[in-house]
Amino acid sequence: MGLITLNTNQVLHKSGDKVETLEIVVKGSVSVIMEGESIVVGVGGILGAPEHPGAEYVYTYTALEETSVFSYPFTSIDDIFKIIASNPKISPILAAQTVKIAVLSLDKYNEDFEKILAEYNQLDIDLADYPMMAVSVGMDVEDFPELEDIEPPVRTQALSDWQEKFYRTLNDNEEIMKKTCYARSADISNGFIMYALEAISFTAACREQLAEYKREFQRQTNKFRSAMQLIRAKSDDMKRNGAEGEATHIDIKDALNTILQYADADETSTENFRSIIMEFKNTKNRYDTSDESRALRRSVAKDYYTIYTSAFLRSLSDSSIPSEVMMFLMFGFVDEELAGLENTRQLYALMKTYKPDPEGRVVTVYEWLKKVYSMELEPSRNEFDEDYFTALRTLKTSGDITEDQMEMMKTDPLERLKFEIKNLLALGNRMSFGRPSMFVPVFDQENVIRPLDVAYVNTEKINDFYKYIRSIDFSLFCRQSIFSDPEIGVTQAFIDEDVTPYMILMPNMGSRASLWQEIEGKKRSTPARFIISIFNTETFEDVMIRLCGEFRWEMCKTIQGVHWNDVTDPSLTSMYCDYLQFYKKNHSLSTEMKEKLRTDLKKFNNNYKNLFVSEYMCYIKFEANQSPRLNKISREIIFTYCPFSAELREKFADNPQYGELIKKYTAHINGLIRPISNMIRRIQNDGFEVPQVLKDQYEYLKK
């Protein structure tokens, strides 16, 4: 008990907590919320008076700014008068504020009643329009017998006419009453306060009764409203599209309800998500560092993926997915007010004009999940670097599932989907966002720090980058395998195959791209899996080059296995680790170079991989443009294992930094080309057709 200081958005009491105290606001203001509707209580307001001691709070009390309240024990109704009587000096302020709250409560009750009455009247209109609208969008007309017993809401008169006029007049003449009446005697003020609190309690009881009617009304009409919401969404889509399907008008309204009705998830998740999005949207300081704001951001993600899963599954059998739902699946869009009108229009336009990658290697997360669900691809690894089947064996070993359950789950599309959503989507979404403590999975205009059309990452942008990076580091995505065909006399030939990675566009506006896994399972010839925010807030080229450097390092570690840092088995990682570990003894490095290396290692916390990625960026951005940034040893290692393309090598032939490296590399390549060329010639002389893989390898080596 005593004085309590509250930060902005800090919750004093939450609906469902036990009622044990009563508070008087001495500084700031508090929002009193029930069913998403609120009134604001300022200095002098009494908090908790309509509640019942020992019961659960009906309302939630949240500080709107830096606020102070004085707390008192609240064990019975008699405590209210004791508290009021113990504050005679501020009784005029208490009286004025309590009368104001009585009027605000009455206004809120009237407002709530008009809203639910409008919903009831709209239900009659929708029932009349439903059959024709359903037919017009190609949906079956259903029966809704549960709607037959719904009665209209009844307005309970919380206060008589004279009481209502009495309190409104007192409130309209607040200043006069404080000076001429309330200030005369604490007993007079206390009398007004107790009567006003009684009026507040009556009104609160009426609001609770109306809230109960609203909950039952929504439960009974939920199925019909779900059907009607989808019909409207599909009808609106038809209106938005011109004759050739181009967007002509964008006027998205009530997107959250459309998405929730479409998803048709369990009632608890649906209502929790609806409630938390409304609270999140109405919280101004939702990205500050307070515990309440952190908890609010975490709450947004709690049911998001349940809704996402339900909407995804329904979309698989729907040939005309509502635009709001597709924007949700592609971009994390949930509410037009949260996203902002202009952003909503741009998201709609981007969704409508999106073109899938013909090669299927650049995909939205929605397209990716469809591949996993259809068992076209295996689920991705989890946070413990376990693939799907390893994770199942771990569950079986720990006793969480049986042998039969494990066998069933191996081929169950839904279980595979849940695994992918829990791991790749949920974890990858947070990772690509770039600021984990600030992460929310929903699209929020607060996070839009670059124009959407500039930040947008599409298929063309990714493929153009691949073309650019291959023009420099041509062997970046190559994997080596062995080809043999005894029938034509080929016992063994090493083949380099270019394997373009999958790029999965995560539904957020973030700053990072990341390598999720280098290969699928243990097959080294399978594509890597990259993730990147579909809206990138950083310089796209830098983000992608950094990603490629990370891929170079991790792919080498995967290929080398336990020998990845063993210098007796030369590789990119082993040579680079050896160079950094013993740089102080390297006589090829000057004192200045050693000092720079010492500083760089300190900057990257002695993380060799991160330093390599940094130098790889310099190699691609600057060294490839004849602007030296690397020292002699680093340049030699990176060029040896990440050589420039033939075009650049020819251009750099006379460059003093690269001349000798290029000669050495050319001799090495000629040594590889010769046996392939001889093999092709021998096959032709024997009258056989040369396999395409050998032709491709010959052309690859010439690059």
Side-chain angles (χ1 to χ4, degrees):
M1 311 311 160
L3 189 67
I4 298 174
T5 301
L6 303 171
N7 296 322
T8 304
N9 298 327
Q10 186 174 343
V11 175
L12 175 63
H13 300 301
K14 192 173 184 180
S15 176
D17 293 347
K18 188 177 180 181
V19 178
E20 296 178 327
T21 60
L22 203 69
E23 284 79 24
I24 294 177
V25 181
V26 295
K27 175 189 172 185
S29 58
V30 174
S31 174
V32 183
I33 307 168
M34 182 178 72
E35 298 286 323
E37 302 292 338
S38 66
I39 61 172
V40 178
V41 176
V43 174
I46 301 173
L47 304 175
E51 309 282 1
H52 305 287
E56 293 183 347
Y57 278 102
V58 175
Y59 300 87
T60 294
Y61 302 79
T62 307
L64 294 176
E65 55 189 308
E66 295 291 327
T67 299
S68 298
V69 298
F70 209 91
S71 181
Y72 299 89
F74 188 27
T75 57
S76 71
I77 299 300
D78 293 337
D79 289 335
I80 297 178
F81 181 73
K82 293 177 184 177
I83 293 167
I84 295 169
S86 66
N87 290 278
K89 292 183 179 179
I90 62 169
S91 58
I93 298 173
L94 294 178
Q97 188 61 218
T98 309
V99 168
K100 178 175 287 186
I101 295 170
V103 173
L104 290 174
S105 299
L106 189 61
D107 288 341
K108 184 56 66 177
Y109 170 68
N110 291 333
E111 184 183 323
D112 291 348
F113 181 83
E114 292 302 325
K115 284 182 180 178
I116 191 62
L117 181 62
E119 285 189 42
Y120 177 83
N121 292 333
Q122 186 63 46
L123 178 65
D124 281 343
I125 296 170
D126 289 346
L127 279 169
D129 294 342
Y130 168 69
M132 187 64 72
M133 289 187 69
V135 171
S136 69
V137 297
M139 293 180 66
D140 294 333
V141 179
E142 301 178 56
D143 291 325
F144 300 93
E146 66 273 14
L147 302 182
E148 296 174 4
D149 300 328
I150 295 179
E151 298 290 335
V154 177
R155 187 193 295 268
T156 303
Q157 193 163 0
L159 302 177
S160 61
D161 290 341
W162 72 264
Q163 286 176 313
E164 182 175 340
K165 291 177 181 177
F166 172 68
Y167 287 114
R168 290 191 184 282
T169 304
L170 289 178
N171 188 55
D172 291 342
N173 295 277
E174 178 183 313
E175 291 303 319
I176 296 175
M177 293 301 298
K178 278 199 289 190
K179 293 176 183 177
T180 61
C181 183
Y182 304 150
R184 288 285 180 181
S185 165
D187 292 333
I188 292 175
S189 295
N190 294 346
F192 277 104
I193 292 168
M194 293 304 294
Y195 274 119
L197 288 175
E198 190 176 64
I200 291 170
S201 296
F202 288 154
T203 307
C206 292
R207 286 189 69 195
E208 289 178 45
Q209 184 181 19
L210 189 63
E212 180 60 35
Y213 172 87
K214 183 179 180 181
R215 285 191 289 270
E216 181 62 18
F217 176 82
Q218 290 179 338
R219 186 191 66 78
Q220 289 179 285
T221 61
N222 184 58
K223 185 179 177 182
F224 174 74
R225 287 184 295 118
S226 175
M228 201 65 190
Q229 190 86 23
L230 293 182
I231 288 170
R232 282 205 179 94
K234 292 189 176 188
S235 177
D236 288 345
D237 262 354
M238 293 169 66
K239 293 174 183 176
R240 293 185 193 118
N241 293 333
E244 297 180 0
E246 295 181 358
T248 55
H249 182 62
I250 305 166
D251 186 22
I252 290 176
K253 293 180 179 178
D254 205 16
L256 178 61
N257 278 329
T258 299
I259 293 164
L260 292 177
Q261 302 291 359
Y262 185 89
D264 197 22
D266 65 273
E267 187 175 344
T268 301
S269 297
T270 299
E271 291 310 312
N272 285 347
F273 190 68
R274 189 197 312 276
S275 174
I276 201 66
I277 290 298
M278 296 306 292
E279 182 181 349
F280 184 74
K281 180 173 67 173
N282 294 326
T283 302
K284 292 181 179 179
N285 302 314
R286 50 185 177 264
Y287 289 102
D288 64 24
T289 56
S290 67
D291 292 341
E292 289 74 22
S293 294
R294 286 196 183 98
L296 179 62
R297 292 194 293 271
R298 286 194 298 270
S299 298
V300 173
K302 186 178 179 182
D303 292 296
Y304 173 87
Y305 297 105
T306 301
I307 304 300
Y308 194 100
T309 303
S310 297
F312 172 83
L313 290 171
R314 182 166 185 175
S315 73
L316 296 176
S317 57
D318 190 351
S319 59
S320 56
I321 304 169
S323 295
E324 296 91 331
V325 176
M326 187 52 72
M327 289 159 66
F328 168 62
L329 295 170
M330 286 180 65
F331 308 122
F333 167 83
V334 294
D335 182 86
E336 65 278 5
E337 292 179 0
L338 188 63
L341 177 60
E342 188 55 39
N343 291 330
T344 299
R345 289 175 172 169
Q346 288 199 39
L347 291 176
Y348 175 84
L350 293 173
M351 179 272 298
K352 281 293 186 183
T353 56
Y354 173 76
K355 294 179 181 178
D357 180 18
E359 302 297 322
R361 291 300 171 89
V362 182
V363 292
T364 63
V365 77
Y366 174 67
E367 292 172 315
W368 177 260
L369 293 174
K370 286 173 73 174
K371 288 177 181 287
V372 172
Y373 184 81
S374 65
M375 300 180 71
E376 181 182 337
L377 292 170
E378 298 298 338
S380 306
R381 295 176 195 160
N382 63 16
E383 59 186 315
F384 304 111
D385 204 31
E386 298 175 322
D387 63 23
Y388 182 60
F389 303 104
T390 305
L392 289 181
R393 285 194 293 272
T394 301
L395 289 174
K396 177 185 170 295
T397 303
S398 63
D400 294 325
I401 60 175
T402 64
E403 177 80 29
D404 291 340
Q405 286 175 318
M406 182 181 76
E407 293 303 318
M408 179 275 293
M409 291 171 71
K410 283 181 179 179
T411 55
D412 186 341
L414 182 58
E415 292 297 331
R416 294 159 72 97
L417 174 71
K418 288 179 179 177
F419 185 86
E420 193 72 348
I421 287 177
K422 179 182 178 181
N423 294 291
L424 181 82
L425 179 54
L427 297 177
N429 220 8
R430 177 181 291 273
M431 184 185 296
S432 59
F433 185 74
R435 296 169 293 152
S437 65
M438 298 295 173
F439 172 73
V440 286
V442 298
F443 187 95
D444 184 358
Q445 61 183 330
E446 293 285 323
N447 292 321
V448 180
I449 58 178
R450 294 184 75 188
L452 293 187
D453 56 341
V454 175
Y456 182 50
V457 177
N458 59 9
T459 299
E460 185 180 3
K461 208 168 186 177
I462 296 292
N463 286 331
D464 284 349
F465 174 81
Y466 286 162
K467 194 178 297 182
Y468 158 74
I469 197 72
R470 282 187 174 111
S471 72
I472 301 172
D473 183 2
F474 73 96
S475 62
L476 173 63
F477 299 129
C478 289
R479 317 282 177 84
Q480 196 168 77
S481 60
I482 297 176
F483 171 77
S484 67
D485 189 346
E487 292 184 5
I488 60 174
V490 179
T491 55
Q492 178 176 287
F494 289 100
I495 302 298
D496 292 280
E497 181 185 2
D498 194 301
V499 183
T500 304
Y502 286 110
M503 177 62 79
I504 306 167
L505 307 177
M506 305 306 290
N508 67 62
M509 174 165 266
S511 59
R512 286 193 61 191
S514 181
L515 168 63
W516 192 260
Q517 62 188 61
E518 315 84 59
I519 56 174
E520 180 185 307
K522 295 181 180 179
K523 300 176 183 176
R524 294 185 181 178
S525 60
T526 51
R529 298 178 181 185
F530 295 168
I531 61 172
I532 189 173
S533 300
I534 197 166
F535 297 106
N536 174 46
T537 60
E538 300 295 319
T539 304
F540 176 73
E541 184 181 286
D542 288 353
V543 169
M544 290 297 293
I545 295 173
R546 190 178 295 114
L547 174 61
C548 291
E550 182 183 352
F551 172 72
R552 270 290 191 185
W553 184 271
E554 293 298 336
M555 193 66 218
C556 182
K557 284 182 67 176
T558 298
I559 292 171
Q560 294 297 111
V562 295
H563 300 288
W564 71 273
N565 61 351
D566 182 359
V567 75
T568 61
D569 185 4
S571 67
L572 171 65
T573 50
S574 65
M575 298 302 290
Y576 200 79
C577 287
D578 182 70
Y579 147 64
L580 291 180
Q581 193 171 357
F582 301 107
Y583 78 90
K584 291 180 181 178
K585 299 178 182 179
N586 196 322
H587 299 298
S588 298
L589 297 175
S590 65
T591 304
E592 291 77 11
M593 289 177 180
K594 290 178 181 179
E595 181 60 28
K596 182 179 184 303
L597 262 180
R598 189 187 70 81
T599 304
D600 288 344
L601 282 167
K602 186 177 179 181
K603 174 183 175 183
F604 292 106
N605 296 316
N606 274 346
N607 187 307
Y608 293 175
K609 171 188 168 181
N610 289 345
L611 179 53
F612 166 75
V613 171
S614 174
E615 294 201 325
Y616 180 84
M617 289 188 69
C618 291
Y619 180 71
I620 298 296
K621 291 183 67 177
F622 302 109
E623 297 270 332
N625 289 304
Q626 301 193 44
S627 177
R629 290 288 194 280
L630 306 178
N631 65 52
K632 179 182 178 181
I633 308 301
S634 180
R635 180 181 296 114
E636 181 177 354
I637 294 172
I638 297 178
F639 180 85
T640 300
Y641 296 100
C642 313
F644 288 143
S645 63
E647 184 181 345
L648 283 179
R649 294 199 304 273
E650 185 178 341
K651 185 178 177 182
F652 280 37
D654 297 328
N655 188 305
Q657 279 91 11
Y658 283 96
E660 288 303 315
L661 294 176
I662 291 172
K663 287 178 183 178
K664 184 178 177 181
Y665 180 78
T666 302
H668 170 69
I669 287 297
N670 289 337
L672 296 177
I673 289 178
R674 195 173 299 111
I676 292 292
S677 177
N678 293 338
M679 193 179 297
I680 291 173
R681 191 178 303 110
R682 190 184 70 247
I683 292 171
Q684 289 173 335
N685 291 338
D686 291 343
F688 295 108
E689 184 177 348
V690 179
Q692 187 62 42
V693 290
L694 293 179
K695 295 179 182 177
D696 291 343
Q697 179 66 8
Y698 181 75
E699 292 300 321
Y700 165 78
L701 292 173
K702 287 175 66 178
K703 292 181 180 178

